[in-house]
Amino acid sequence: MAAHMSRMTAMEKELNKFFGSSDDATKEKVLESINRIFGKKTKGRTGPKKPANAYILFTQEKRSEIVDTLTSEMGSKPSTGQVTKRAGEMWKALSKDEQQPYLDKRAQLMAEFEAEHPELVKTTRSSSPRSAFEFDRSTPEDMEVPSGWSVVQPKKYLKSNAAGIALGEGKFATLAEAIEAANKQGSKCGGVTRTSRGFFLRKGNDAITETTAKKRETTWSWFKLDFEVPVEEEKPKKKKVAKKAKVAEEEIAAAPAPNTTGIVEIPVVASTGTADDEFDTDTDESDDDDDDASVSTWEHKGKTYLVDGEDDEDCDVFDFSSQEKIGRRIAKGGKWKLIKA
């Protein structure tokens, strides 16, 4: 948008060289035509157009007011470039709270657009990969929750995504949409966590305090009050087979000469277990470690890695063989991406 405004200002200066101030009407028509042509971003695209962004919605609402103000200040009708420039200045001067209604409106329009054209959802997201996902950023403490849900838990998150991170499945633009989807998930979902990237459905309902200072400021959670964590079947204990007795090579070398019976008596090294014991004793500690381990394998581009959180949106990645950390795995555009250190 800033680049477009800069081009329009430069174009207006060039037109002044040809028209001067003698033919403002013609100059204005030329500028409007240029703005209409170069302002388009749908060249070569067919089908429905996605909703305007928050800044454009603001400009559309304030355009008449801006034109009247500039006309009063200048004594003549402002050019398109002047209107655009003033709108940009006004938008930048707004606080986050003042911009929020336009962000909310855009999020609502986008949700309606994707609901009407589900086949275009992927195209819509990938057409502007640099633009952030727009969701409800209003004060969480002011958001309403239905009965059966907890009050907001600031600086806390719920563990593990319950339905992935795809928009409309595990990720939502508003708390109301996320709670509705969470209720439909039943025992598979324990609550909702809002991060810096939207509202996500989570498996757990135990709120955990975020330890990262930066993430604390953008993390809130709500959980189901009557939620019961599904009970998993207890894993059978792994039984360890006793090691067989081994004959030490040095004892064989030091064995005495055969006796009169022709039999060599070879000393046997004691095993780590007894001959009568079929299994070693299992410990609760080893079982607990197995149950609590969060490291799992991850297949990425034909190669196997280890990750420290199977469902976490951002986690460490380790080399499968050396188990050395090589980077981090993050969620981007509904897919996992490896960022090497």
Side-chain angles (χ1 to χ4, degrees), residues 41-42 45 47-57 60 102-117 120-121 124-125 127-128 131 134:
K41 295 183 180 180
T42 56
R45 184 189 300 172
K49 183 180 179 181
K50 69 178 182 179
N53 60 32
Y55 166 75
I56 296 300
L57 294 175
Q60 292 172 346
Y102 301 98
L103 294 171
D104 292 342
K105 179 63 176 176
R106 207 277 177 166
Q108 178 185 346
L109 294 174
M110 197 64 188
E112 294 174 354
F113 174 83
E114 293 184 344
E116 294 176 2
H117 308 285
L120 300 179
V121 170
T124 301
R125 287 198 218 102
S127 62
S128 55
S131 61
E134 294 178 354

Side-chain angles (χ1 to χ4, degrees), residues 30-47:
V30 172
L31 282 172
E32 288 181 355
S33 297
I34 293 173
N35 185 55
R36 186 169 57 253
I37 294 172
F38 289 101
K40 291 183 177 180
K41 295 183 180 180
T42 56
K43 185 176 180 181
R45 184 189 300 172
T46 59

Side-chain angles (χ1 to χ4, degrees), residues 261-304:
T261 61
I263 301 175
V264 179
E265 296 180 357
I266 303 175
V268 178
V269 179
S271 68
T272 56
T274 64
D276 295 327
D277 293 338
E278 184 180 2
F279 303 107
D280 286 340
T281 302
D282 288 335
T283 63
D284 292 335
E285 181 179 359
S286 63
D287 290 325
D288 290 341
D289 290 342
D290 288 340
D291 292 339
D292 294 339
S294 60
V295 177
S296 58
T297 58
W298 174 45
E299 299 292 336
H300 180 63
K301 294 185 177 180
K303 191 172 181 179
T304 302

Side-chain angles (χ1 to χ4, degrees), residues 155-184:
K155 303 180 181 181
K156 295 180 182 290
Y157 68 93
L158 302 178
K159 195 173 181 180
S160 303
N161 289 314
I165 59 175
L167 184 62
E169 296 178 9
K171 175 181 178 181
F172 299 87
T174 67
L175 176 61
E177 293 174 337
I179 287 180
E180 181 181 359
N183 287 333
K184 292 180 180 178

